[in-house]
Amino acid sequence: MVQENFKEITGKASQMWNGTFDKVLEVFSVASAFNRDISGRGTTLSSAITREGVQYLGDVQAALRQASEEARHLWTRQSEVVQEVPKDVMAASQKAVALYWDGAEQIARLGDAQREALTRYTGNLQNLLEKSSEETRETFTKYSEQVLKLYG
């Protein structure tokens, strides 16, 4: 009788441990899937941020190239004005002032181009981060529900 009760108790204990062990394995499986999902999202986000950074740097580079070309052209025009000084001082002075005005406008355009590029870059990053945050929240909710089903 004692031996039968002992076998019965150990049998029930084994079933309980096996059931618990099975649930633990399922939770580990769910956690592993969650980690893979989050890791994949992190990689995707990192890649997207890198692409946006490259695009931003390309925009800035294009603006700087254009500004460099305009500055070179302005320098050439300024050299021509300097050569005109002995002929007509007043006309050369007026042209010099106009060239300085053009230079200031070019600097303002460069600043505007960089501001626009930075605004696009930060806006795109914000959108990427918001999307990633929402997807992560959905993923966490999905996997939390799976764990709750196992133990609920």
Side-chain angles (χ1 to χ4, degrees):
M1 173 107 159
V2 171
Q3 196 173 22
E4 289 175 11
N5 286 340
F6 182 74
K7 283 183 180 180
E8 184 180 331
I9 291 172
T10 56
K12 288 181 181 180
S14 289
Q15 286 177 339
M16 184 182 75
W17 282 109
N18 287 338
T20 302
F21 186 70
D22 288 344
K23 285 185 179 183
V24 167
L25 286 177
E26 287 182 54
V27 168
F28 281 147
S29 174
V30 167
S32 176
F34 175 75
N35 287 332
R36 274 192 313 274
D37 195 3
I38 293 299
S39 177
R41 289 183 197 288
T43 302
T44 301
L45 178 62
S46 178
S47 176
I49 288 172
T50 301
R51 278 193 307 274
E52 290 299 328
V54 168
Q55 178 64 42
Y56 168 69
L57 292 176
D59 291 347
V60 169
Q61 182 182 28
L64 289 174
R65 277 190 184 146
Q66 181 181 353
S68 177
E69 185 60 38
E70 290 174 356
R72 191 175 302 115
H73 180 68
L74 193 61
W75 182 259
T76 302
R77 288 175 45 203
Q78 190 173 15
S79 297
E80 293 168 358
V81 168
V82 169
Q83 293 172 359
E84 293 177 13
V85 169
K87 297 176 190 171
D88 188 357
V89 174
M90 193 56 123
S93 298
Q94 289 174 345
K95 287 180 182 178
V97 169
L99 287 175
Y100 287 121
W101 186 262
D102 287 346
E105 287 177 337
Q106 289 173 1
I107 290 170
R109 281 195 302 272
L110 175 61
D112 288 344
Q114 289 182 349
R115 179 185 47 78
E116 289 171 6
L118 185 59
T119 300
R120 270 192 312 275
Y121 174 67
T122 55
N124 290 345
L125 283 185
Q126 182 176 356
N127 290 338
L128 286 170
L129 292 171
E130 287 174 355
K131 181 181 175 191
S132 178
S133 174
E134 182 60 31
E135 289 173 350
T136 300
R137 186 177 9 267
E138 290 170 0
T139 298
F140 183 77
T141 300
K142 177 179 126 184
Y143 288 111
S144 295
E145 288 172 354
Q146 288 178 350
V147 170
L148 287 174
K149 284 180 185 176
L150 290 173
Y151 287 101

PDB file of all heavy atoms in Angstrom, residues 1-2 5 24 43 47 51-52 66 72-73 83 85-86 88 102 106-107 110 113 115 131 137 146 150:
ATOM      1  N   MET A   1       0.810  -1.182   0.000  1.00  0.00           N
ATOM      2  CA  MET A   1       0.000   0.000   0.000  1.00  0.00           C
ATOM      3  C   MET A   1       0.865   1.263   0.000  1.00  0.00           C
ATOM      4  O   MET A   1       0.593   2.188  -0.774  1.00  0.00           O
ATOM      5  CB  MET A   1      -0.903  -0.042   1.238  1.00  0.00           C
ATOM      6  CG  MET A   1      -1.656   1.188   1.435  1.00  0.00           C
ATOM      7  SD  MET A   1      -3.322   0.850   1.025  1.00  0.00           S
ATOM      8  CE  MET A   1      -4.115   2.084   1.851  1.00  0.00           C
ATOM      9  N   VAL A   2       1.858   1.300   0.838  1.00  0.00           N
ATOM     10  CA  VAL A   2       2.756   2.451   0.899  1.00  0.00           C
ATOM     11  C   VAL A   2       3.494   2.587  -0.425  1.00  0.00           C
ATOM     12  O   VAL A   2       3.662   3.678  -0.958  1.00  0.00           O
ATOM     13  CB  VAL A   2       3.748   2.310   2.073  1.00  0.00           C
ATOM     14  CG1 VAL A   2       4.815   3.364   2.042  1.00  0.00           C
ATOM     15  CG2 VAL A   2       3.016   2.328   3.387  1.00  0.00           C
ATOM     16  N   ASN A   5       1.124   3.987  -3.031  1.00  0.00           N
ATOM     17  CA  ASN A   5       0.953   5.433  -2.827  1.00  0.00           C
ATOM     18  C   ASN A   5       2.197   6.201  -3.265  1.00  0.00           C
ATOM     19  O   ASN A   5       2.110   7.271  -3.855  1.00  0.00           O
ATOM     20  CB  ASN A   5       0.643   5.738  -1.361  1.00  0.00           C
ATOM     21  CG  ASN A   5      -0.771   5.363  -0.984  1.00  0.00           C
ATOM     22  OD1 ASN A   5      -1.625   5.225  -1.865  1.00  0.00           O
ATOM     23  ND2 ASN A   5      -1.024   5.169   0.287  1.00  0.00           N
ATOM     24  N   VAL A  24       8.051  25.699 -19.562  1.00  0.00           N
ATOM     25  CA  VAL A  24       9.301  26.464 -19.537  1.00  0.00           C
ATOM     26  C   VAL A  24       9.949  26.436 -20.920  1.00  0.00           C
ATOM     27  O   VAL A  24      10.436  27.459 -21.415  1.00  0.00           O
ATOM     28  CB  VAL A  24      10.258  25.926 -18.449  1.00  0.00           C
ATOM     29  CG1 VAL A  24      11.653  26.494 -18.610  1.00  0.00           C
ATOM     30  CG2 VAL A  24       9.717  26.250 -17.064  1.00  0.00           C
ATOM     31  N   THR A  43      18.354  45.596 -36.459  1.00  0.00           N
ATOM     32  CA  THR A  43      19.218  45.586 -37.639  1.00  0.00           C
ATOM     33  C   THR A  43      18.591  46.383 -38.771  1.00  0.00           C
ATOM     34  O   THR A  43      19.264  47.173 -39.442  1.00  0.00           O
ATOM     35  CB  THR A  43      19.488  44.134 -38.085  1.00  0.00           C
ATOM     36  OG1 THR A  43      20.090  43.426 -37.001  1.00  0.00           O
ATOM     37  CG2 THR A  43      20.376  44.078 -39.299  1.00  0.00           C
ATOM     38  N   SER A  47      20.098  49.850 -40.343  1.00  0.00           N
ATOM     39  CA  SER A  47      20.339  49.952 -41.781  1.00  0.00           C
ATOM     40  C   SER A  47      19.609  51.165 -42.366  1.00  0.00           C
ATOM     41  O   SER A  47      20.168  51.910 -43.177  1.00  0.00           O
ATOM     42  CB  SER A  47      19.874  48.676 -42.458  1.00  0.00           C
ATOM     43  OG  SER A  47      19.997  48.769 -43.845  1.00  0.00           O
ATOM     44  N   ARG A  51      21.185  54.457 -44.184  1.00  0.00           N
ATOM     45  CA  ARG A  51      20.772  54.943 -45.509  1.00  0.00           C
ATOM     46  C   ARG A  51      20.386  56.414 -45.453  1.00  0.00           C
ATOM     47  O   ARG A  51      20.750  57.197 -46.335  1.00  0.00           O
ATOM     48  CB  ARG A  51      19.602  54.116 -46.042  1.00  0.00           C
ATOM     49  CG  ARG A  51      19.992  52.810 -46.683  1.00  0.00           C
ATOM     50  CD  ARG A  51      18.837  52.183 -47.461  1.00  0.00           C
ATOM     51  NE  ARG A  51      17.614  52.044 -46.689  1.00  0.00           N
ATOM     52  CZ  ARG A  51      17.331  51.010 -45.892  1.00  0.00           C
ATOM     53  NH1 ARG A  51      18.189  50.025 -45.774  1.00  0.00           N
ATOM     54  NH2 ARG A  51      16.190  50.960 -45.239  1.00  0.00           N
ATOM     55  N   GLU A  52      19.653  56.795 -44.419  1.00  0.00           N
ATOM     56  CA  GLU A  52      19.251  58.203 -44.280  1.00  0.00           C
ATOM     57  C   GLU A  52      20.478  59.096 -44.080  1.00  0.00           C
ATOM     58  O   GLU A  52      20.545  60.199 -44.618  1.00  0.00           O
ATOM     59  CB  GLU A  52      18.273  58.379 -43.113  1.00  0.00           C
ATOM     60  CG  GLU A  52      16.907  57.793 -43.355  1.00  0.00           C
ATOM     61  CD  GLU A  52      16.184  58.407 -44.536  1.00  0.00           C
ATOM     62  OE1 GLU A  52      16.378  59.618 -44.822  1.00  0.00           O
ATOM     63  OE2 GLU A  52      15.413  57.683 -45.190  1.00  0.00           O
ATOM     64  N   GLN A  66      28.046  72.764 -55.235  1.00  0.00           N
ATOM     65  CA  GLN A  66      27.440  73.897 -55.925  1.00  0.00           C
ATOM     66  C   GLN A  66      27.995  75.203 -55.372  1.00  0.00           C
ATOM     67  O   GLN A  66      28.342  76.108 -56.131  1.00  0.00           O
ATOM     68  CB  GLN A  66      25.916  73.871 -55.791  1.00  0.00           C
ATOM     69  CG  GLN A  66      25.240  75.021 -56.512  1.00  0.00           C
ATOM     70  CD  GLN A  66      23.730  74.994 -56.357  1.00  0.00           C
ATOM     71  OE1 GLN A  66      23.176  74.047 -55.812  1.00  0.00           O
ATOM     72  NE2 GLN A  66      23.082  76.025 -56.839  1.00  0.00           N
ATOM     73  N   ARG A  72      33.975  79.788 -56.968  1.00  0.00           N
ATOM     74  CA  ARG A  72      35.015  79.862 -57.999  1.00  0.00           C
ATOM     75  C   ARG A  72      34.629  80.878 -59.076  1.00  0.00           C
ATOM     76  O   ARG A  72      35.439  81.702 -59.500  1.00  0.00           O
ATOM     77  CB  ARG A  72      35.243  78.482 -58.611  1.00  0.00           C
ATOM     78  CG  ARG A  72      36.463  78.409 -59.489  1.00  0.00           C
ATOM     79  CD  ARG A  72      36.749  76.990 -60.013  1.00  0.00           C
ATOM     80  NE  ARG A  72      36.929  76.039 -58.917  1.00  0.00           N
ATOM     81  CZ  ARG A  72      36.112  75.018 -58.665  1.00  0.00           C
ATOM     82  NH1 ARG A  72      35.070  74.796 -59.437  1.00  0.00           N
ATOM     83  NH2 ARG A  72      36.327  74.196 -57.657  1.00  0.00           N
ATOM     84  N   HIS A  73      33.372  80.829 -59.503  1.00  0.00           N
ATOM     85  CA  HIS A  73      32.875  81.775 -60.506  1.00  0.00           C
ATOM     86  C   HIS A  73      32.932  83.203 -59.955  1.00  0.00           C
ATOM     87  O   HIS A  73      33.327  84.132 -60.672  1.00  0.00           O
ATOM     88  CB  HIS A  73      31.450  81.388 -60.916  1.00  0.00           C
ATOM     89  CG  HIS A  73      30.844  82.279 -61.935  1.00  0.00           C
ATOM     90  ND1 HIS A  73      31.292  82.352 -63.236  1.00  0.00           N
ATOM     91  CD2 HIS A  73      29.826  83.182 -61.849  1.00  0.00           C
ATOM     92  CE1 HIS A  73      30.574  83.243 -63.900  1.00  0.00           C
ATOM     93  NE2 HIS A  73      29.680  83.752 -63.072  1.00  0.00           N
ATOM     94  N   GLN A  83      40.883  94.133 -62.191  1.00  0.00           N
ATOM     95  CA  GLN A  83      41.599  94.604 -63.375  1.00  0.00           C
ATOM     96  C   GLN A  83      40.952  95.849 -63.978  1.00  0.00           C
ATOM     97  O   GLN A  83      41.607  96.617 -64.677  1.00  0.00           O
ATOM     98  CB  GLN A  83      41.665  93.492 -64.422  1.00  0.00           C
ATOM     99  CG  GLN A  83      42.527  92.327 -63.987  1.00  0.00           C
ATOM    100  CD  GLN A  83      42.446  91.146 -64.941  1.00  0.00           C
ATOM    101  OE1 GLN A  83      41.723  91.195 -65.942  1.00  0.00           O
ATOM    102  NE2 GLN A  83      43.187  90.092 -64.623  1.00  0.00           N
ATOM    103  N   VAL A  85      39.717  98.348 -62.163  1.00  0.00           N
ATOM    104  CA  VAL A  85      39.861  99.494 -61.254  1.00  0.00           C
ATOM    105  C   VAL A  85      40.606 100.658 -61.908  1.00  0.00           C
ATOM    106  O   VAL A  85      40.137 101.800 -61.828  1.00  0.00           O
ATOM    107  CB  VAL A  85      40.518  99.063 -59.922  1.00  0.00           C
ATOM    108  CG1 VAL A  85      40.908 100.268 -59.082  1.00  0.00           C
ATOM    109  CG2 VAL A  85      39.578  98.161 -59.136  1.00  0.00           C
ATOM    110  N   PRO A  86      41.748 100.434 -62.563  1.00  0.00           N
ATOM    111  CA  PRO A  86      42.445 101.591 -63.152  1.00  0.00           C
ATOM    112  C   PRO A  86      41.623 102.306 -64.240  1.00  0.00           C
ATOM    113  O   PRO A  86      41.771 103.513 -64.430  1.00  0.00           O
ATOM    114  CB  PRO A  86      43.712 100.994 -63.771  1.00  0.00           C
ATOM    115  CG  PRO A  86      43.906  99.690 -63.105  1.00  0.00           C
ATOM    116  CD  PRO A  86      42.549  99.234 -62.700  1.00  0.00           C
ATOM    117  N   ASP A  88      38.074 102.498 -64.500  1.00  0.00           N
ATOM    118  CA  ASP A  88      36.897 103.212 -63.965  1.00  0.00           C
ATOM    119  C   ASP A  88      36.687 102.774 -62.516  1.00  0.00           C
ATOM    120  O   ASP A  88      36.071 101.749 -62.247  1.00  0.00           O
ATOM    121  CB  ASP A  88      35.671 102.887 -64.823  1.00  0.00           C
ATOM    122  CG  ASP A  88      34.449 103.725 -64.453  1.00  0.00           C
ATOM    123  OD1 ASP A  88      34.540 104.528 -63.492  1.00  0.00           O
ATOM    124  OD2 ASP A  88      33.414 103.570 -65.122  1.00  0.00           O
ATOM    125  N   ASP A 102      26.250  89.181 -54.117  1.00  0.00           N
ATOM    126  CA  ASP A 102      26.050  87.839 -54.685  1.00  0.00           C
ATOM    127  C   ASP A 102      26.659  86.770 -53.778  1.00  0.00           C
ATOM    128  O   ASP A 102      26.065  85.705 -53.575  1.00  0.00           O
ATOM    129  CB  ASP A 102      26.682  87.740 -56.076  1.00  0.00           C
ATOM    130  CG  ASP A 102      25.915  88.490 -57.145  1.00  0.00           C
ATOM    131  OD1 ASP A 102      24.754  88.873 -56.882  1.00  0.00           O
ATOM    132  OD2 ASP A 102      26.484  88.678 -58.241  1.00  0.00           O
ATOM    133  N   GLN A 106      24.803  83.634 -51.967  1.00  0.00           N
ATOM    134  CA  GLN A 106      25.244  82.251 -52.135  1.00  0.00           C
ATOM    135  C   GLN A 106      25.428  81.571 -50.778  1.00  0.00           C
ATOM    136  O   GLN A 106      25.059  80.412 -50.602  1.00  0.00           O
ATOM    137  CB  GLN A 106      26.543  82.202 -52.939  1.00  0.00           C
ATOM    138  CG  GLN A 106      26.343  82.549 -54.392  1.00  0.00           C
ATOM    139  CD  GLN A 106      27.657  82.654 -55.150  1.00  0.00           C
ATOM    140  OE1 GLN A 106      28.723  82.447 -54.592  1.00  0.00           O
ATOM    141  NE2 GLN A 106      27.575  82.990 -56.430  1.00  0.00           N
ATOM    142  N   ILE A 107      25.990  82.301 -49.823  1.00  0.00           N
ATOM    143  CA  ILE A 107      26.157  81.749 -48.475  1.00  0.00           C
ATOM    144  C   ILE A 107      24.793  81.454 -47.863  1.00  0.00           C
ATOM    145  O   ILE A 107      24.593  80.402 -47.245  1.00  0.00           O
ATOM    146  CB  ILE A 107      26.973  82.719 -47.594  1.00  0.00           C
ATOM    147  CG1 ILE A 107      28.424  82.747 -48.072  1.00  0.00           C
ATOM    148  CG2 ILE A 107      26.899  82.321 -46.124  1.00  0.00           C
ATOM    149  CD1 ILE A 107      29.265  83.830 -47.431  1.00  0.00           C
ATOM    150  N   LEU A 110      23.401  78.338 -49.426  1.00  0.00           N
ATOM    151  CA  LEU A 110      24.077  77.155 -48.887  1.00  0.00           C
ATOM    152  C   LEU A 110      23.509  76.814 -47.508  1.00  0.00           C
ATOM    153  O   LEU A 110      23.222  75.651 -47.218  1.00  0.00           O
ATOM    154  CB  LEU A 110      25.583  77.393 -48.795  1.00  0.00           C
ATOM    155  CG  LEU A 110      26.398  76.274 -48.142  1.00  0.00           C
ATOM    156  CD1 LEU A 110      26.263  74.975 -48.930  1.00  0.00           C
ATOM    157  CD2 LEU A 110      27.858  76.687 -48.015  1.00  0.00           C
ATOM    158  N   ALA A 113      20.107  75.298 -47.996  1.00  0.00           N
ATOM    159  CA  ALA A 113      20.190  73.925 -48.511  1.00  0.00           C
ATOM    160  C   ALA A 113      20.576  72.965 -47.386  1.00  0.00           C
ATOM    161  O   ALA A 113      20.007  71.872 -47.275  1.00  0.00           O
ATOM    162  CB  ALA A 113      21.201  73.845 -49.653  1.00  0.00           C
ATOM    163  N   ARG A 115      20.068  73.459 -44.157  1.00  0.00           N
ATOM    164  CA  ARG A 115      18.938  73.406 -43.221  1.00  0.00           C
ATOM    165  C   ARG A 115      17.858  72.471 -43.746  1.00  0.00           C
ATOM    166  O   ARG A 115      17.315  71.642 -43.001  1.00  0.00           O
ATOM    167  CB  ARG A 115      18.374  74.814 -43.000  1.00  0.00           C
ATOM    168  CG  ARG A 115      17.178  74.858 -42.051  1.00  0.00           C
ATOM    169  CD  ARG A 115      16.561  76.247 -41.958  1.00  0.00           C
ATOM    170  NE  ARG A 115      16.326  76.899 -43.224  1.00  0.00           N
ATOM    171  CZ  ARG A 115      15.309  76.633 -44.048  1.00  0.00           C
ATOM    172  NH1 ARG A 115      14.442  75.699 -43.740  1.00  0.00           N
ATOM    173  NH2 ARG A 115      15.163  77.279 -45.191  1.00  0.00           N
ATOM    174  N   LYS A 131       7.984  54.438 -36.240  1.00  0.00           N
ATOM    175  CA  LYS A 131       7.515  53.178 -36.818  1.00  0.00           C
ATOM    176  C   LYS A 131       8.122  51.995 -36.075  1.00  0.00           C
ATOM    177  O   LYS A 131       7.431  51.037 -35.727  1.00  0.00           O
ATOM    178  CB  LYS A 131       7.886  53.124 -38.295  1.00  0.00           C
ATOM    179  CG  LYS A 131       7.432  51.862 -38.993  1.00  0.00           C
ATOM    180  CD  LYS A 131       7.858  51.853 -40.449  1.00  0.00           C
ATOM    181  CE  LYS A 131       7.497  50.523 -41.079  1.00  0.00           C
ATOM    182  NZ  LYS A 131       8.102  50.368 -42.390  1.00  0.00           N
ATOM    183  N   ARG A 137       6.439  47.692 -29.905  1.00  0.00           N
ATOM    184  CA  ARG A 137       5.346  47.601 -28.933  1.00  0.00           C
ATOM    185  C   ARG A 137       4.382  46.484 -29.322  1.00  0.00           C
ATOM    186  O   ARG A 137       3.963  45.687 -28.491  1.00  0.00           O
ATOM    187  CB  ARG A 137       4.622  48.947 -28.855  1.00  0.00           C
ATOM    188  CG  ARG A 137       3.573  49.044 -27.788  1.00  0.00           C
ATOM    189  CD  ARG A 137       2.893  50.408 -27.659  1.00  0.00           C
ATOM    190  NE  ARG A 137       3.150  51.415 -28.665  1.00  0.00           N
ATOM    191  CZ  ARG A 137       4.094  52.356 -28.594  1.00  0.00           C
ATOM    192  NH1 ARG A 137       4.891  52.408 -27.568  1.00  0.00           N
ATOM    193  NH2 ARG A 137       4.234  53.251 -29.553  1.00  0.00           N
ATOM    194  N   GLN A 146       1.285  35.582 -25.608  1.00  0.00           N
ATOM    195  CA  GLN A 146       1.608  34.160 -25.736  1.00  0.00           C
ATOM    196  C   GLN A 146       2.079  33.584 -24.399  1.00  0.00           C
ATOM    197  O   GLN A 146       1.690  32.475 -24.028  1.00  0.00           O
ATOM    198  CB  GLN A 146       2.696  33.954 -26.805  1.00  0.00           C
ATOM    199  CG  GLN A 146       2.190  34.162 -28.211  1.00  0.00           C
ATOM    200  CD  GLN A 146       3.297  33.993 -29.242  1.00  0.00           C
ATOM    201  OE1 GLN A 146       4.467  33.897 -28.911  1.00  0.00           O
ATOM    202  NE2 GLN A 146       2.915  33.974 -30.508  1.00  0.00           N
ATOM    203  N   LEU A 150       0.192  30.688 -21.860  1.00  0.00           N
ATOM    204  CA  LEU A 150       0.849  29.495 -21.301  1.00  0.00           C
ATOM    205  C   LEU A 150       0.619  29.368 -19.797  1.00  0.00           C
ATOM    206  O   LEU A 150       0.441  28.272 -19.281  1.00  0.00           O
ATOM    207  CB  LEU A 150       2.368  29.528 -21.575  1.00  0.00           C
ATOM    208  CG  LEU A 150       2.785  29.327 -23.021  1.00  0.00           C
ATOM    209  CD1 LEU A 150       4.291  29.566 -23.162  1.00  0.00           C
ATOM    210  CD2 LEU A 150       2.424  27.923 -23.477  1.00  0.00           C
TER     211      LEU A 150
END
